[in-house]
Structures are given as C-alpha cells and as structure tokens.
Amino acid sequence: MSNMISWDDQRIFLAVLEEGSLSAAARRLGLSHPTVRARIETLERRLGAVLFTRSVNGLTPTETAQTLRDPARAMAMASELFVRAASAPAGQIAGTVRISVPDFMGIEVIPAMLARLHREYPAIRIELSLSNIQADLLAQEVDLAVRTIAPTLGALVARKVASIPLGLFASREYVTRRGLPADIAELAAHDFIGPDRSRSDLALIDSSGMGAIRERMVLRTDSHPAQLAALRAGLGIAAVQVPTATADPNLVRLLPDFEIIRLDTWIVTHENLSRVPRVRAVFDSLADAFRMISKAR
C-alpha cells in the first residue's frame, strides 16, 4: 500500500460513504461525477482494497470501508476545527464558531439570540448545525452545543441556563371550533399532534398521564418544528415549549397549571475551547439570552 494518500482522497471517500452514491457525493463536494469515481478508484488501488461494491441499488460499503469510517470522520472534524481556529487572529473576538442545537430551538429560539449576538460581536460568524443527535464535543466536532441532557464528561465545560416548561397549546381557531378542555380527562375528546416513533417522546406522554391521547393523534411526526407548524395551522393540540408558544398571539395555552415536564437546558463546550475569545463570547451571550427568556416567562 502506498503511503501517498492525500486528505482530498479521504475527504471524497467519506462523502461517498455518507451520501451513498457517487452522484450525491459529487453534488456535496462540487465535483463532477467522473472525478469522484476516478478518485475512489485511485484510492482503492493505493489501499489495495475494494471500498464499495456496485449494484443496481447504488454503492454498498465493504467491511474495509466501514473500518475506515471513524478515522476519516476524525480527519474531517480535525480539518474543520483547523479552519475555524484559523478564522481569526489569536485573542480577537472574531472568526467562526460552530454550534449544535436541537432542531426546534434552532428554528424557534436560537435565531433571535444570534441576532443579538451579531449586534454585539459583528466579526463573529456562526455555523449552525440543527440536530437532535448529540454532536461529539470531545472530538470538537462543534465548538458549542445547546443540550437538554446533562453533560457528564469531565473534559466538558457546561452551564445550566434554563429549565423550560412544556405545556399544551392550541390555535385560537381550533379553540373557537372545538372549545377548551376543562381537565386532563376532557383531552380525550380532542385532536392531537404528537410523536411518531420517538421512544422518549412517547414515554413522556405515558408518564404525564396522557396516554389516552395516543389514539387521538391526527398527525404523528418526530419533528418538533413540524408539530408546531401543524399546531399553528389548527390541526390539533400539541405540547410545546411554553416561552415559545406564549410569544405567539395566535396560540392559547390549555390547562395552564399543567406542566408536562421541564427541559433542563445546558450550554456546553470543550474545556480546551472555553478560553478561546470567540467561543467564550458566544457561550456567555447565549447563556444571558436564555436567562432573559426565563425571567420574562
């Protein structure tokens, strides 16, 4: 096996592995399909191993390719970290900060916080990753993460910034049409928007004493932003973060004394990044913004 294997070839291999086809990888990388195919064939010759088997259904990674996935991903994360670290002169509050947040917060909560951040630190550039899967902070896949699960690893620096209640809401149009339930028992006569296959969300419904509403779900989706969009459209009742739903004048809280749960929320970073000026500025700004939301509720 030749030692002359460039990072570019590894980057193309990772794109094909993650995208599942040469054409999708080419689109992601901004390369032509023949170029990607040729680079994969060259990489296979240099490794002396087959990485993908071809079929009418696309590409299937071989055992060798699967073995190489983690090292290639680690290289990709290190490369991205290198670029972010070089995005500003040392000591200046400038450059790129990559943040991972749950999809609901990334759409409904974080944008206003980032607008405030930009006014205060206009030289900071944000990369926002929306995912309910936790990013790898130890590998510094991202610089910061907003999490609703308590971090446990000692190499992380975390600050609890909020305890966000979940409540039941409906649109004003729905309430006019269907009326207000007087108690939890009356919820069984209403239409609901809820989770599809998320075990944690389904367990939350059962543990809150609302298991009966499972049969009343007119829309099932594990996307929390999609649940909110359907709620706003008047499709039914849904559980929503109280500060977000209360800020919408077209939504009405049902059973105001009933809290389904509180989402404890942390901002987390790697200890090696916690003293980097641009990362610390974003960390502190988001923490202040979450505290303001909590006080305003």
Side-chain angles (χ1 to χ4, degrees):
M1 177 179 65
S2 170
N3 291 324
M4 298 299 293
I5 298 175
S6 72
W7 160 237
D8 238 15
D9 287 342
Q10 296 174 60
R11 180 174 67 95
I12 291 170
F13 157 73
L14 183 63
V16 174
L17 188 63
E18 292 180 342
E19 297 294 335
S21 73
L22 298 175
S23 56
R27 287 192 296 271
R28 168 171 150 181
L29 298 170
L31 299 172
S32 70
H33 184 283
T35 296
V36 172
R37 183 179 64 246
R39 296 293 286 274
I40 290 297
E41 290 172 351
T42 298
L43 181 60
E44 288 179 326
R45 285 196 300 272
R46 288 176 174 170
L47 291 173
V50 175
L51 297 174
F52 301 96
T53 57
R54 283 78 172 171
S55 71
V56 293
N57 297 320
L59 297 181
T60 301
T62 63
E63 185 177 348
T64 298
Q66 297 288 14
T67 301
L68 295 173
R69 179 192 297 270
D70 286 347
R73 188 71 194 106
M75 286 280 289
M77 288 189 292
S79 176
E80 292 165 2
L81 178 62
F82 179 92
V83 172
R84 294 199 302 275
S87 64
Q92 291 190 17
I93 302 180
T96 301
V97 176
R98 186 169 181 82
I99 309 172
S100 172
V101 300
D103 58 359
F104 182 90
M105 288 188 181
I107 294 170
E108 295 290 336
V109 180
I110 295 295
M113 297 181 177
L114 296 182
R116 174 177 177 264
L117 170 73
H118 181 63
R119 290 191 293 271
E120 189 172 2
Y121 301 108
I124 289 179
R125 299 290 179 263
I126 298 296
E127 294 179 354
L128 189 62
S129 172
L130 304 188
S131 177
N132 295 327
I133 300 173
Q134 290 190 9
D136 190 343
L137 281 163
L138 289 181
Q140 299 178 29
E141 180 180 5
V142 298
D143 302 309
L144 289 172
V146 177
R147 289 184 174 174
T148 55
I149 298 175
T152 57
L153 298 174
L156 302 181
V157 174
R159 185 185 304 175
K160 184 178 177 181
V161 293
S163 185
I164 303 172
L166 286 186
L168 294 176
F169 287 82
S171 70
R172 293 193 181 278
E173 182 275 333
Y174 178 91
V175 170
T176 300
R177 178 164 44 89
R178 299 291 301 275
L180 286 167
D183 52 36
I184 292 180
E186 289 192 7
L187 291 174
H190 285 265
D191 295 331
F192 276 84
I193 301 154
D196 180 23
R197 299 180 182 181
S198 169
R199 292 184 179 181
S200 59
D201 286 358
L202 290 168
L204 182 59
I205 290 175
D206 293 338
S207 66
S208 65
M210 299 190 302
I213 73 169
R214 283 208 195 199
E215 303 305 317
R216 297 291 305 177
M217 288 186 191
V218 297
L219 173 66
R220 296 174 181 268
T221 173
D222 291 330
S223 167
H224 297 141
Q227 290 178 15
L228 180 58
L231 167 65
R232 286 170 168 156
L235 189 58
I237 295 169
V240 189
Q241 294 181 21
V242 171
T244 298
T246 301
D248 188 333
N250 293 315
L251 299 183
V252 177
R253 186 171 184 184
L254 312 179
L255 309 178
D257 294 331
F258 176 60
E259 282 186 3
I260 300 170
I261 197 175
R262 283 181 169 260
L263 296 174
D264 291 338
T265 305
W266 287 264
I267 299 177
V268 193
T269 188
H270 192 287
E271 61 185 2
N272 291 346
L273 297 174
S274 63
R275 292 177 294 277
V276 176
R278 67 181 182 281
V279 176
R280 173 52 62 180
V282 176
F283 188 108
D284 290 341
S285 180
L286 292 179
D288 289 343
F290 271 106
R291 277 197 295 269
M292 285 192 290
I293 288 177
S294 298
K295 290 179 181 178
R297 187 177 60 84

